Amino acid sequence: MQQHDDQDEREGAVHGRIPWHDPRALTADQRALYDEMASGPRAAGPFRLTDPEGRLEGPFNAMLIAPGVGGPLQRLGAAIRYATDLPDRWREIAILEVAVARRSDFEWYAHEHVGRNAGLTAEELSALRSGADAETFDEAERTVRAACRALVLRRGLDDDLYARAEAALGTARLYELVVLVGYYDTLALSLATFRTPLPPGEPPVFGQGPPSQAL
């Protein structure tokens, strides 16, 4: 009887507003996508990808709702994380800037850990969280942050910032940065819409309130 009750509890678990998918009860398409995420390089990352039952944390659980879209989306994310020419520090500054602009607790929680592994210091993380450049950022890193914030909040770059970004980053890396911002903005939208919770014991960073509108 206890085993049956445990199974019912797992199958009825919710993750914010949507079911928390039990990996033992997935369709074939969901299982294929689950395996892509749970056995790929993300699984070796510094933040928790699954709970003790194997259920996906963060935005990845929502991707299982519609694997035909969730699959290409997660592969885009994998390309951004592991196949671009963006230096690790640039990439994490950009992701954390999206998290701050969108007040996305899960994105900050996950990529604060990744950012530390990429070499961001506690002082640099604190500056980013407060909406400022760190004194130790070089010109390219300041440009990455400025471009990301403009892309999120203004939905583009004016001529001066575009010229600055193209000179500091190069056209190919600027393109990769634009796609990165779009991807993580999409994740922030999914996390907010489905009210995806943080793992147990992880405190929210931004609390309640609308996304930042200040530049």
Side-chain angles (χ1 to χ4, degrees), residues 16-89:
R17 286 174 160 169
I18 59 176
W20 203 357
H21 295 94
D22 184 340
R24 291 159 289 192
L26 300 175
T27 67
D29 287 345
Q30 288 174 325
R31 184 71 213 193
L33 176 53
Y34 176 94
D35 288 343
E36 279 186 39
M37 294 187 283
S39 63
R42 285 194 183 93
F47 64 89
R48 193 174 93 167
L49 184 66
T50 64
D51 81 334
E53 298 288 341
R55 295 172 297 201
L56 291 165
E57 297 278 13
F60 308 108
N61 178 64
M63 293 178 186
L64 296 176
I65 296 171
V69 173
L73 182 62
Q74 88 82 22
R75 287 187 283 277
L76 174 61
I80 290 167
R81 283 285 305 279
Y82 308 111
T84 72
D85 196 35
L86 295 171
D88 291 347
R89 280 176 58 93

Side-chain angles (χ1 to χ4, degrees), residues 31-215:
R31 184 71 213 193
L33 176 53
Y34 176 94
D35 288 343
E36 279 186 39
M37 294 187 283
S39 63
R42 285 194 183 93
F47 64 89
R48 193 174 93 167
L49 184 66
T50 64
D51 81 334
E53 298 288 341
R55 295 172 297 201
L56 291 165
E57 297 278 13
F60 308 108
N61 178 64
M63 293 178 186
L64 296 176
I65 296 171
V69 173
L73 182 62
Q74 88 82 22
R75 287 187 283 277
L76 174 61
I80 290 167
R81 283 285 305 279
Y82 308 111
T84 72
D85 196 35
L86 295 171
D88 291 347
R89 280 176 58 93
W90 294 11
R91 185 191 67 238
E92 295 309 314
I93 288 168
I95 297 168
L96 290 168
E97 190 60 36
V98 175
V100 171
R102 293 303 188 212
R103 301 176 62 85
S104 180
D105 285 322
F106 190 92
E107 282 188 351
W108 182 272
Y109 148 76
H111 285 276
E112 179 180 21
H113 291 280
V114 181
R116 289 182 189 278
N117 282 6
L120 294 177
T121 66
E123 291 76 16
E124 289 171 334
L125 290 166
S126 179
L128 283 168
R129 189 168 63 181
S130 69
D133 288 324
E135 292 182 1
T136 49
F137 284 175
D138 62 26
E139 177 56 29
E141 291 168 344
R142 292 171 186 269
T143 301
V144 165
R145 179 178 170 271
C148 287
R149 196 153 186 84
L151 288 167
V152 173
L153 298 179
R154 294 175 178 164
R155 312 312 291 174
L157 306 180
D158 62 24
D159 288 344
D160 288 344
L161 185 51
Y162 180 87
R164 175 184 165 190
E166 188 175 41
L169 313 182
T171 306
R173 284 175 170 177
L174 177 55
Y175 174 76
E176 291 175 340
L177 185 68
V178 171
V179 175
L180 178 152
V181 170
Y183 172 76
Y184 281 96
D185 206 13
T186 297
L187 292 195
L189 184 63
S190 173
L191 289 161
T193 299
F194 298 114
R195 296 182 181 170
T196 303
L198 288 162
E202 294 293 339
V205 174
F206 304 109
Q208 300 300 313
S212 171
Q213 296 300 316
L215 292 174

